[in-house]
Amino acid sequence: MDTPERNQINTTLSKFEDSPVFNYINNLSPIRPVKSVHITQTFNSLSFSSPPSVFTSPHVSSFKESRFLRRHILLDTSKPKDSSEDVNNKVYSSEEAIADSTLSHLNTNELHESSDQGISVGNGSVELSSEHAKFSDELPQALQYNCGSPSYDPPLCADEANSLLELPGEGVSDAAYVPDGCKTDSIESELHLQGPSQIDPKEEGADCDWAGLIPNAADLLIEAEAEAFKGLMQKPSGSSIRLSDFMPLLQQSTNNNDQKMYMIKSVASGSEHEIENHCSEPVALADTDHIQDNLASGSLMTSNPNEQMDDKLVSVTHRGIRRRCLDFEMASVRRKNSDDNSKTGSSTTQSEVSNAANEKQLLPTKRNADSQRCILPGIGLHLNALATLKDHKGLQNEKLTSGRQLSLSNSTSLLLSTCHEHQHLSVLSVSISSERELDPSDNGVQPTEDCSQASAYMAGEDFNQNSPKKKRRKSEPAGEIEGCKRCNCKKSKCLKLYCECFAAGVYCIEPCSCQECFNKPIHEDTVLQTRKQIESRNPLAFAPKVIRSSESVPEVGDDPNKTPASARHKRGCNCKKSSCLKKYCECYQGGVGCSISCRCEGCKNAFGRKDGSAITEMVEGETEEETETSDKGVAEKAIQKTEIQSIEDHPDSAAVSTPLRLSRPLLPMPFSSKGKPPRSFVTTITGSGYFASQKLAKPDSLWPQSKPFQTVPDNEMPEILRGDSSPIACIKTSSPNGKRISSPNCEMGSSPSRRGGRKLILQSIPSFPSLTPHP
DNA sequence: GAGTTTGAAACT
DNA sequence: CAGTTTCAAACTC
């Protein structure tokens, strides 16, 4: 990504601004240029986004910055700066400065630098190197300015600011990020600002930049042009710069001689072309070549209809250029938008297509698509819907009794084969539209949520569910957990926490054997209401029962209270007879050790006991689970070490030994017998985000480390959830309101891959909450 | 698959 | 908050 193009644009713009034509245009334009406002906006936006943008894509940055600069210049005239991008900015700023006539100093050196950098400085550029320097410095300051400087105009429009903020960053050209309307306004406003000044003597002075290259004399100008041309021709990348160079020349020529003007004009036209190209293709890198070609061919000369023979031709040309730029920008924006859309669409379509093509591969494709957006979610929903479909076809046969994998495969096959048409359609439609609506099965599934919800929900379910469940299961070794949860509720209607699915925040699906189930998309409202009620009683009701922190997370820092234990059950268990050695124990089921918060009797939790004996856990590096236990140190039930040892001895114990890891394995281990995963939901907090997953399942990295998990008294849990990290926050936030706050982290957070099953996703409590229709 | 056990969730 | 009931998973056979 080279910035040169944009730079050129900037320069051209600045030139335009200077030209009286601009003023005229501005007058004509219905858009009210609120210079200050726009500028400020841009500035603000720049301030916010600029840094990254700068690094990422100079183009964008240049453009924005340029605006920036102006403002700065206006505000501050005396700051030095160096960055190349700044140079671009300089152009504008310089122009402004010129307009203001406040800045008069030109630094040939700077000019050279700018040119070297490839940033061509238009007239304005010539002017103030010093300013440029300032700008660079100012960028950061810009914010300050905005805040403090009275000079600044009123705050930017929220829309604009948003637009700016929204900018994808580099890739997007200025135009792209700026809304069409806004953009034009902003540009025009810029023009206005510069417009009045038009061509200042100083600008000519600016030409002085060129001066390095070109002497003031008209004759020299021509020569300079020739050189510039050569330079353009020679330098592919630098083409933009050269163009800018031409601009100044043009201006000078205008001032100097009409004849020369022609020359210039021709050149200018060429520049325009280039500019246009740039404008039109801000993003494209190849432009330079293009431009060169054009120049070489001489097309440059002819291109502009706008050009005129007058002295003002230059200005006109500028204007023409300007406009084109704007237009192009707009066009570019449009293009980008369209492109983006097309891309997105294409991507979606592709994904879908691929999905369609590879029905079986839905998962993978989906995952791929995941990155992109809602689509997947949609798919996930769809999957759920599919799940519901089972009814239609009676595919359920397969309820997974023992062999989930088989069932999954079967189900998938069913979907593919039997439902296949139906599903296909649905899937495709979903993916395409990114809406589940299309699915007949979907019905009312989460209409409210859209991407966010869908994503969360979907994410979980999607991957998992969709085919995911099935696939996952397939992928997973038999015993493994599948991520999917299935319930067998008879009386709760799957609207109580008794229901694992409901508790996990997922809809029941095929594999479920539940009766009178209301935990389906069709009953979304009911589900949401019920969920709210439950949350009202217990905000953490849908929070992961087990919270785990990953090393990455700064957990400790976050919660002083928390013990280092990697994970703990939210509320602790209350086991009386199972000794916390069976899945009856939620702690054990969750693969975590018991903590102080536990009220268990005779705790022998292999993962760790209250007393902290959790020796077993310390396995391998990861240990941790219970390291805390020591902290807790409560020996309420101090279990004898012997027990622990014994545990270790046992094969299972092995798992135990490394509780965390084990957890991964462990889960399977203990659960493996049936292959079901533990019920408990685990929330893992990773640096990026936390995951709450029902299953420990593939804890992957999660476990390990870190977080001390405080055993977490009930109180703590909430804190943990809330406080610390966003992830938690996500959970909580979501749950309380019933809304899911999907933090990107949460959703994406984890690599979906981790949790195969929907459970994983589910874990993000938010998912469920998300279901809540709250806007 | 039926029955039992278990402990969480829900209720009082 | 404690006690009881309900519930469904976990477990056993």
Side-chain angles (χ1 to χ4, degrees), chain A residues 184-235:
Chain A
T184 56
D185 292 349
S186 65
I187 295 167
E188 288 181 356
S189 66
E190 289 177 352
L191 293 176
H192 275 298
L193 292 177
Q194 293 175 343
S197 66
Q198 294 179 345
I199 297 167
D200 292 349
K202 288 180 180 179
E203 286 178 351
E204 291 177 351
D207 292 351
C208 293
D209 290 347
W210 280 92
L213 298 176
I214 300 167
N216 292 341
D219 294 349
L220 294 178
L221 291 176
I222 294 168
E223 292 176 352
E225 290 178 352
E227 291 177 352
F229 233 70
K230 291 177 182 178
L232 292 175
M233 297 301 291
Q234 291 174 345
K235 295 178 182 178

Side-chain angles (χ1 to χ4, degrees), chain A residues 87-310:
Chain A
V87 172
N88 292 339
N89 294 341
K90 287 178 180 179
V91 172
Y92 291 103
S93 65
S94 64
E95 290 176 352
E96 291 177 352
I98 293 166
D100 293 350
S101 72
T102 58
L103 298 178
S104 61
H105 300 287
L106 295 178
N107 293 341
T108 57
N109 293 342
E110 290 177 352
L111 292 176
H112 290 289
E113 290 175 352
S114 64
S115 64
D116 292 348
Q117 289 170 343
I119 295 165
S120 64
V121 174
N123 295 341
S125 66
V126 171
E127 296 172 354
L128 311 176
S129 62
S130 64
E131 289 180 354
H132 293 290
K134 290 178 181 178
F135 280 91
S136 63
D137 292 348
E138 290 175 353
L139 291 178
Q141 291 174 343
L143 294 177
Q144 292 174 345
Y145 284 99
N146 291 342
C147 297
S149 70
S151 64
Y152 268 90
D153 293 349
L156 299 178
C157 296
D159 293 348
E160 291 178 353
N162 291 344
S163 65
L164 293 175
L165 293 177
E166 289 175 354
L167 293 179
E170 23 178 271
V172 174
S173 64
D174 294 348
Y177 70 81
V178 176
D180 293 349
C182 294
K183 183 172 192 170
T184 56
D185 292 349
S186 65
I187 295 167
E188 288 181 356
S189 66
E190 289 177 352
L191 293 176
H192 275 298
L193 292 177
Q194 293 175 343
S197 66
Q198 294 179 345
I199 297 167
D200 292 349
K202 288 180 180 179
E203 286 178 351
E204 291 177 351
D207 292 351
C208 293
D209 290 347
W210 280 92
L213 298 176
I214 300 167
N216 292 341
D219 294 349
L220 294 178
L221 291 176
I222 294 168
E223 292 176 352
E225 290 178 352
E227 291 177 352
F229 233 70
K230 291 177 182 178
L232 292 175
M233 297 301 291
Q234 291 174 345
K235 295 178 182 178
S237 64
S239 63
S240 65
I241 295 167
R242 301 201 176 221
L243 291 176
S244 64
D245 292 348
F246 284 102
M247 295 303 292
L249 292 176
L250 292 175
Q251 290 176 343
Q252 289 177 343
S253 66
T254 57
N255 292 339
N256 294 338
N257 295 335
D258 293 347
Q259 292 176 344
K260 291 176 181 178
M261 290 300 294
Y262 291 99
M263 296 298 292
I264 292 164
K265 175 175 145 186
S266 64
V267 172
S269 65
S271 65
E272 289 178 352
H273 290 288
E274 291 176 351
I275 292 165
E276 289 177 352
N277 291 341
H278 291 290
C279 295
S280 64
E281 296 174 350
V283 174
L285 295 178
D287 292 351
T288 58
D289 293 346
H290 225 19
I291 294 165
Q292 290 176 343
D293 293 346
N294 291 341
L295 292 174
S297 64
S299 63
L300 295 175
M301 298 300 291
T302 60
S303 65
N304 292 338
N306 292 343
E307 294 176 353
Q308 293 176 346
M309 299 305 290
D310 296 349

Side-chain angles (χ1 to χ4, degrees), chain A residues 54-71:
Chain A
V54 169
F55 292 97
T56 58
S57 66
H59 296 288
V60 171
S61 66
S62 66
F63 197 67
K64 293 176 181 179
E65 287 176 354
S66 64
R67 293 178 184 174
F68 232 172
L69 293 179
R70 286 183 182 176
R71 302 233 173 153

Side-chain angles (χ1 to χ4, degrees), chain A residues 6 69 149 156 166 190 290 308 345 409 417 440 463 491 503 512 561 618 638 706 720 722 758:
Chain A
R6 291 185 180 175
L69 293 179
S149 70
L156 299 178
E166 289 175 354
E190 289 177 352
H290 225 19
Q308 293 176 346
S409 63
S417 64
F463 296 98
K491 296 179 180 179
C512 295
N561 293 343
M618 317 286 293
S706 36
I720 293 168
R722 295 176 182 176
R758 28 167 151 161

